[in-house]
Amino acid sequence: MIRARVAAARGAALRLARAAQQGKTGPVVVAGTVVGVATFSSVYASDNVLAPPKQPWDHTGYTQAYDAASVRRGHMVYAQVCASCHGLARIAYRNMIGVCYTEEEVKAMAEDTDVIDGPNDEGEMFERPGKLSDYLPSPYPNEEAARFANNGAYPPDLSLIVKARPHGVDYIFALLTGYKDVPAGIAPRDTQYYNPYFPGGWIGMPPPLADGGVDYDDGTEATASQMAKDVCTFLAWTSEPEADERKLMGIKWMTLLTVMFGFTWYYKRVKWSVIKNRRLELY
């Protein structure tokens, strides 16, 4: 079906190109058609992949902020479930201060991690306790080691995963909760799992979430859907930690511009209009 649609679109583009050569249409139309064909073919390149359902997230509105409690729980899910395979190379420990942890909690968390630093005066690398300025460590030293440990699959870094995937946080939630039994007529695959939301339908990551997999410190029931929601909120924050500050600054600027517009209108209509509309007569 995809090939038929693309072939039909390309045929229409060729007909318009011939018409342009005969003077019936302009080159602008031809250029637009070529762009449309490219877009058409890319849109329908994943017909067999389910589109993730839209979820009512608390942080997606123009005046809505991240749920700090959910971000904290999401970090717990990441640390206990996801961190064994996925890294957060763009997030430092200090970024979590005031968002979901206190400074003392983050310091204790960083000091529990051994960081390779150096070289020292003797030119050798050494290990030291983590500091607030350190970034969260990757579970693997390089991509080859990651693939070797995961049967050839490469666990991506999750720092910008919400920005890097179509449908963003909705896709991540659907992927985490969308594992299904292999449909009838499809042969199972070793070391791969069926997930209709993943391109191709097969994913190398086993189902990561199960009821009771994490003990929340605030007493929230750790169901699979709750853990998926929390870790998605956390990953949305890691992809855009400055979102709340940007929204607040935007509201302040819009308020200031609205007030300034009122003053400008008053000055134009009341003060300047008298001078602008006066008539000078020469005697």
Side-chain angles (χ1 to χ4, degrees):
M1 182 180 294
I2 299 175
R3 293 179 179 176
R5 293 176 180 174
V6 175
R10 288 176 178 172
L14 291 175
R15 289 193 295 271
L16 281 175
R18 295 192 189 100
Q21 293 176 356
Q22 298 173 2
K24 297 180 179 179
T25 184
V28 177
V29 176
V30 177
T33 304
V34 173
V35 174
V37 170
T39 306
F40 183 89
S41 59
S42 63
V43 168
Y44 289 94
S46 300
D47 264 0
N48 295 328
V49 179
L50 289 179
K54 186 70 175 177
Q55 303 294 339
W57 300 100
D58 295 333
H59 58 270
T60 54
Y62 292 112
T63 59
Q64 293 176 314
Y66 291 112
D67 183 355
S70 184
V71 173
R72 181 186 178 103
R73 294 193 300 266
H75 176 261
M76 297 176 63
V77 175
Y78 165 78
Q80 300 182 36
V81 178
C82 309
S84 59
C85 296
H86 299 275
L88 282 176
R90 296 179 180 272
I91 298 299
Y93 288 102
R94 64 173 179 265
N95 296 135
M96 294 185 288
I97 297 176
V99 177
C100 52
Y101 293 102
T102 63
E103 183 174 352
E104 291 73 18
E105 290 175 324
V106 178
K107 281 184 178 180
M109 190 185 308
E111 291 173 355
D112 288 339
T113 305
D114 293 329
V115 178
I116 298 178
D117 201 352
N120 56 16
D121 295 338
E122 300 177 357
E124 297 179 351
M125 306 298 289
F126 61 92
E127 288 188 353
R128 60 167 176 80
K131 301 182 295 185
L132 293 179
S133 59
D134 291 324
Y135 287 82
L136 273 66
S138 174
Y140 304 104
N142 49 60
E143 181 178 344
E144 288 72 16
R147 291 187 181 278
F148 179 79
N150 292 276
N151 299 310
Y154 178 59
D157 185 87
L158 299 181
S159 301
L160 299 173
I161 195 67
V162 171
K163 294 293 185 182
R165 296 295 184 267
H167 304 286
V169 69
D170 292 326
Y171 166 76
I172 305 299
F173 181 85
L175 182 71
L176 293 175
T177 59
Y179 286 84
K180 307 294 181 183
D181 295 332
V182 180
I186 299 179
R189 299 184 183 182
D190 295 335
T191 69
Q192 287 191 323
Y193 304 85
Y194 183 75
N195 192 318
Y197 296 102
F198 189 77
W202 295 96
I203 185 172
M205 180 178 66
L209 302 178
D211 293 343
V214 175
D215 293 329
Y216 286 142
D217 56 4
D218 60 357
T220 302
E221 184 179 0
T223 61
S225 59
Q226 180 66 48
M227 289 187 291
K229 180 256 186 185
D230 292 333
V231 75
C232 285
T233 303
F234 173 70
L235 293 178
W237 172 80
T238 62
S239 296
E240 207 170 10
E242 74 287 350
D244 288 349
E245 297 180 3
R246 191 180 69 250
K247 290 179 181 179
L248 181 59
M249 185 60 65
I251 293 175
K252 291 181 178 179
W253 273 104
M254 292 302 295
T255 303
L256 176 62
L257 290 175
T258 301
V259 174
M260 293 301 296
F261 174 79
F263 280 111
T264 303
W265 177 87
Y266 175 81
Y267 186 80
K268 175 67 169 62
R269 297 294 297 176
V270 178
K271 297 295 185 180
W272 180 251
S273 62
V274 177
I275 301 176
K276 186 176 181 180
N277 295 330
R278 67 181 179 176
R279 186 176 60 180
L280 299 178
E281 296 183 358
L282 298 177
Y283 296 96

